[in-house]
Amino acid sequence: MLLILLQLLVLVSCDPLRCDPAVRGQCKSTVEDKPKCSDRLLSYCDDMAYTATMFPNILGHKTREDAESGAEYLLVSVAESLLGGVCNPDLRMLGCSVLAPRCEKEKVQKPCRAACEAVRRRCSHAFEGIDMAWPYFLDCDRFFVSHEEGCYNPLEGLRDEQDAEPFDSMEMDPVEDPATTMRFTYHTNAQMVGVLKKVEERCSDIARTYSIGRSTEGRELLVIEFSNNPGQHELLEPEFKYIGNMHGNEVLGRQLLIYLAQHMCSEYQLGNERIQTLINTTRIHILPSMNPDGYESAVSGLPDNSYGDDEEQGPRYESWNIGHNNAQNIDLNRNFPDLTSVAYGRRRQKRYRTDHIPIPDRFWFGKVAPETYAVMKWIRSAPFVLSANFHGGDLAVSYPYDLSKHPLEHNMFSPTPDDKVFKLLARTYATAHETMANGNAPCGASRTSGPKGTVNGAQWSSIAGGMQDFNYLHSNCFELTVKLGCDKFPPEEELSSGWQQNHEALIEFMEAVHGGIKGIVKDEEGNAVKGARVSVRGIRHDITTAEDGDYWRLLTPGVHIVTASAPGYSRSMKKVHLPRHMGAAGRVDFVLRRAAPELEPQEEDDDSGHDRFDPYNQYQRYALMSDVSPSREDRAEKPWWWNYFARLGGPAPTWLLKQY
């Protein structure tokens, strides 16, 4: 009875009978067919010099369908577009030699190691440029063999040579250096970071990259610094900064700053005396993208404001301004503290000043973007002297103030106390630009009405909370806004001409940081006086000394009465004559003598809260906001191309990531 039940169980079982050598005749052992050569049917490998292949292939794919569904074949199929046409078709054919290997006489022939090594030498920089690891299936030692082992040349359909021996001596195109070779195509965020890191590596004696924070979606706000002593402020060496891509869909400035970093590195190493002098006497900071999230949206053409539904922050994205704002739908150039209104409110006060205005507490109760917060801390962290930020939509240089001095007039000329200095600085960039100072209005109904491609910001378009006004009113830094052209997102064909039109202006404007005067304020014992005020008669805007007592004061040519003062010291005054065409800032030092408190009249201190920053600890709030969202972490850690390969299903192709 038990035997019958067992037989019934076997009959209804879905599993096939297993062969048991102990039971004679119960079943027959299956005999697997021996692999044979078959037609090579992979479409991206149809130009190989052979027609037959075999599965399983070298990687272990059992069938053609298995090979076609893998990330390896996907990479081979998109390599040309992914790498910008570099190493095509060599790289694709090398991959095909592993995915669909040559088969002769029912045996697989492996490709030559010499061919693999030659291609890797030529093409590895292209993978580094997009932050991708060299593919594991192109491991020359693992999947390729030597001539003695009977290899074949996988590029024989491409080369005239029939054996692989000449590969070591093959004449190859010069290898491009991603640190110095300008590619006039738009760089993804990962490519931009890759280029800056390569510049740092190539010019490590004068270049350094550092992060000032992260965007809403976790992307790094990466700065590259140039100096003969990177990472340190040097006595009497002025600090300069460039900021690009504040609006994510205004992209030319971002590209220009990437090219500028490459240019500075290569020209310094080539012995360009002008660039060497600039770097050896200036500390230069370049932030190519302040709004990398907006850039990502602008490139994809899709709005990205899933981090809140704050209608008060501005109109929703439409096709023409996708990526303009950050991922929170905040316009970053309206998000800084409105100190201009505070300055206007002081005009009725006796002996009012317009410098080092504290951030009002009410500002912290609004929505402060992480990008804004990071740049504000950055501005306060170094004694910046001069700065420019880049936009699109017009062709002109605008200068403060950005907010109209009359609340009902939105296009009213609204000058700062340093209007003459700002006009001189604006002309410096505009006249060095190839076309900006021509006086024409290239953008149709342009509001640029100033002379030679310059315009007062409020006269162009009055805004509150702009970055250039914040720089001027809160710190020692004079900042201008450079509008690079009518088209906010010009075609790639115009990137080369954009660089040619702007590169001289970019250099001349950096050199302008050496205008005016500089010096050191000390006491009678020779100690540096930190925070001393340097005032210029007739200009209601002071600058203050840095940690080591050094200062820089941008001025126009002419005669100026300059005073240095500090609490507990008597004033020191000097008459300064600045001739035209000075090659460097004039040196004006001050020695302050101790004074009895009653002999030095106490003035009302309008900037008593200047050192008070972020009293409600917003920084931790933003850090927590970034940490609680895994999706943001993923987007920050994974390169731009990752999702394309991760959609395949199955195990994630982590071999594409450099950190694995």
Side-chain angles (χ1 to χ4, degrees), residues 71-278:
E72 298 89 349
Y73 185 67
L74 177 59
L75 178 60
V76 166
S77 66
V78 301
E80 180 178 3
S81 58
L82 196 66
L83 302 176
V86 176
C87 295
N88 182 64
D90 304 47
L91 198 68
R92 177 177 54 78
M93 296 178 76
L94 197 69
C96 286
S97 70
V98 177
L99 290 164
R102 184 174 184 168
C103 184
E104 287 186 0
K105 298 179 181 180
E106 313 305 332
K107 289 183 65 177
V108 165
Q109 284 189 301
K110 288 190 175 182
C112 289
R113 185 176 297 125
C116 176
E117 290 171 346
V119 172
R120 182 164 187 171
R121 282 195 300 270
R122 293 182 59 226
C123 305
S124 59
H125 75 277
F127 284 88
E128 291 173 1
I130 62 170
D131 202 29
M132 181 182 284
W134 182 258
Y136 83 93
F137 62 93
L138 299 183
D139 186 328
C140 302
D141 294 323
R142 184 176 175 187
F143 299 112
F144 298 78
V145 297
S146 65
H147 306 302
E148 292 76 13
E149 295 174 272
C151 69
Y152 76 97
N153 173 10
L155 306 182
E156 60 187 350
L158 187 65
R159 314 287 183 195
D160 294 330
E161 295 83 4
Q162 290 301 311
D163 57 32
E165 189 66 38
F167 272 101
D168 287 326
S169 58
M170 183 187 300
E171 184 177 344
M172 295 179 292
D173 296 332
V175 176
E176 292 184 351
D177 185 346
T180 57
T181 303
M182 296 183 189
R183 291 178 56 198
F184 292 106
T185 57
Y186 284 112
H187 291 61
T188 64
N189 286 314
Q191 288 172 329
M192 174 187 69
V193 170
V195 170
L196 299 183
K197 292 290 187 181
K198 283 296 176 184
V199 171
E200 176 187 35
E201 180 183 330
R202 171 72 180 269
C203 293
S204 58
D205 55 333
I206 59 165
R208 175 183 75 107
T209 61
Y210 64 95
S211 174
I212 61 169
R214 290 190 178 273
S215 67
T216 301
E217 293 183 336
R219 294 183 174 91
E220 201 164 34
L221 303 179
L222 192 69
V223 175
I224 186 164
E225 169 198 342
F226 289 94
S227 168
N228 61 346
N229 192 11
Q232 294 186 17
H233 171 72
E234 296 185 79
L235 189 69
L236 290 172
E237 187 169 281
E239 309 241 359
F240 178 96
K241 62 182 167 71
Y242 272 140
I243 298 176
N245 204 204
M246 187 181 197
H247 293 147
N249 64 335
E250 297 172 11
V251 297
L252 180 56
R254 169 189 169 110
Q255 287 299 130
L256 293 181
L257 295 184
I258 295 172
Y259 301 148
L260 179 63
Q262 294 176 302
H263 179 75
M264 300 278 281
C265 172
S266 62
E267 291 299 305
Y268 191 95
Q269 292 191 332
L270 290 171
N272 184 321
E273 292 185 8
R274 184 184 184 191
I275 298 300
Q276 288 181 341
T277 299
L278 181 60

Side-chain angles (χ1 to χ4, degrees), residues 393-395 439-449 460 485-487:
D394 210 330
L395 187 63
N440 301 321
C443 302
S446 172
R447 288 164 286 180
T448 302
S449 56
W460 190 82
C486 316
D487 194 344

